[in-house]
Amino acid sequence: LKIIAETKIKSAHDLNTLKELKVKFLGKKGELTSVLRGMGGLSPEERPQVGALANEIRNRLESLISSKTEELEEEKLEKQLREQTVDVTLPGLPLTVGAIHPLQAIWEQMEDIFIGMGFEVAEGPEVETDKYNFEMLNFLKEHPARDMQDSFYINPEILLRTHTSSVQPRTMLAKEGEVPVRIICPGKVYRRDSDDATHSHQFMQIEGLVVDRGVSMSELKGVLLTFIQKMFGKETEIRLRPSFFPFTEPSVEIDIYDPQKGWLEILGAGMVHPRVLEKSGYNPEHYTGFAFGTGIERIAMLKYGIDDIRHFYNNDLRFLRQFQSE
Ligand code: PHE
């Protein structure tokens, strides 16, 4: 019994086997216990000898089991430590770096250029009233832009703004007749167009407005030429064509010259209409102003040579990754 038990204990490979062996040999129903129980049948001379032997075996097995338990526990811990080590020499996972969206990049660049010329950035709501989107800007009641077919109306008085020009009266009213007014306002605008390569039902504009004493058409031209040359290069030529907007008089459209494509329209502008100044609390006898508006998508398309406005909104990573360094 002793020899069998010893070899089995020594060759146990895990803690569970060891526990089982302990029960098998030393437990209440174990083999050694049954030897002790069988002692009743022995002669009085044999009993102390067998008893002493049994006790010796028990002590021996107990100490064997406890040292083996220790040994196995240590092994288990070491194995765990070995398996859980981190190999710090393995190459790391590459980090993916995002790119600024081309529209965001142009927006920020335009803001920087105009801030450099003394403009402040203003804001206005995208859900706008007929009053600020049309009425205060001298649109006649029957102007086609006011048609339900051309604009997104929420009710007859409220619509999604069709241009950022709605911030002109908002800004002037907030200023309460104070000068100078010198703001730009970037933001989303909405029109009921069918989406195609050059149209989108939602796009972005940047509006500009300057009101002060003695503001002239030449200042308008100087500011916009500076902006265009900073954006497209200092050799870029511009051309002013007469145009019409209800809220400016005279009105112009500004083209830039592209060696490949010729003259391309990029801006609407003009001197603020006296009636617009008056409606917003500025006496046109004392003050003049100019305003301009341009599409951020349009500028981005010209600058980066993008041929379809829908690329900006599709979130195709192959398109967006090209701007990684912008
Ligand atoms: N609001 C005009 C448009 O959306 C642009 C514009 C702004 C024209 C300011 C003149 C002055 O087309």
Side-chain angles (χ1 to χ4, degrees), residues 58-92:
R58 144 167 271 134
N59 290 340
R60 168 89 185 124
L61 292 185
E62 266 172 2
S63 78
L64 250 186
I65 286 173
S66 75
S67 66
K68 188 72 186 177
T69 305
E70 238 170 70
E71 192 184 307
L72 287 177
E73 266 169 1
E74 222 164 90
E75 235 171 58
K76 191 177 154 193
L77 182 69
E78 232 159 72
K79 194 171 160 229
Q80 250 178 20
L81 288 175
R82 220 179 307 120
E83 279 169 359
Q84 288 168 4
T85 49
V86 175
D87 183 351
V88 293
T89 66
L90 283 174

Side-chain angles (χ1 to χ4, degrees), residues 69-257:
T69 305
E70 238 170 70
E71 192 184 307
L72 287 177
E73 266 169 1
E74 222 164 90
E75 235 171 58
K76 191 177 154 193
L77 182 69
E78 232 159 72
K79 194 171 160 229
Q80 250 178 20
L81 288 175
R82 220 179 307 120
E83 279 169 359
Q84 288 168 4
T85 49
V86 175
D87 183 351
V88 293
T89 66
L90 283 174
L93 296 173
L95 285 179
T96 44
V97 178
I100 292 177
H101 194 281
L103 294 179
Q104 181 71 21
I106 293 288
W107 170 323
E108 285 173 9
Q109 227 174 312
M110 288 178 71
E111 276 193 358
D112 285 348
I113 293 172
F114 282 108
I115 286 169
M117 290 192 278
F119 286 75
E120 279 173 28
V121 178
E123 267 182 63
E126 288 173 30
V127 179
E128 190 51 285
T129 55
D130 176 88
K131 178 180 165 195
Y132 292 111
N133 199 83
F134 295 127
E135 189 68 41
M136 300 283 286
L137 290 167
N138 197 34
F139 278 79
L140 294 174
K141 278 274 178 258
E142 55 278 5
H143 192 281
R146 279 176 125 159
D147 194 318
M148 296 282 176
Q149 304 309 312
D150 288 314
S151 307
F152 290 110
Y153 277 88
I154 288 164
N155 67 34
E157 288 304 315
I158 300 174
L159 74 163
L160 300 182
R161 70 178 173 197
T162 61
H163 53 184
T164 43
S165 298
S166 53
V167 295
Q168 292 187 30
R170 281 187 173 278
T171 306
M172 283 188 273
L173 286 175
K175 281 269 200 175
E176 298 181 323
E178 234 181 82
V179 285
V181 176
R182 203 173 172 86
I183 58 109
I184 54 162
C185 169
K188 284 180 188 159
V189 300
Y190 302 83
R191 288 182 196 176
R192 232 165 140 144
D193 278 327
S194 304
D195 293 353
D196 62 23
T198 53
H199 294 84
S200 173
H201 63 283
Q202 179 236 283
F203 58 101
M204 294 198 285
Q205 287 189 328
I206 288 199
E207 190 79 11
L209 174 68
V210 172
V211 179
D212 206 344
R213 285 178 196 273
V215 174
S216 66
M217 191 84 182
S218 60
E219 187 181 347
L220 160 72
K221 192 178 168 187
V223 163
L224 294 178
L225 181 62
T226 304
F227 156 65
I228 285 164
Q229 293 187 337
K230 287 204 167 163
M231 184 57 85
F232 295 102
K234 60 179 188 306
E235 306 300 326
T236 314
E237 284 179 72
I238 65 166
R239 174 174 86 174
L240 274 63
R241 277 181 296 113
S243 185
F244 175 82
F245 301 102
F247 40 94
T248 47
E249 182 57 37
S251 302
V252 290
E253 240 142 7
I254 298 181
D255 302 337
I256 61 169
Y257 190 73

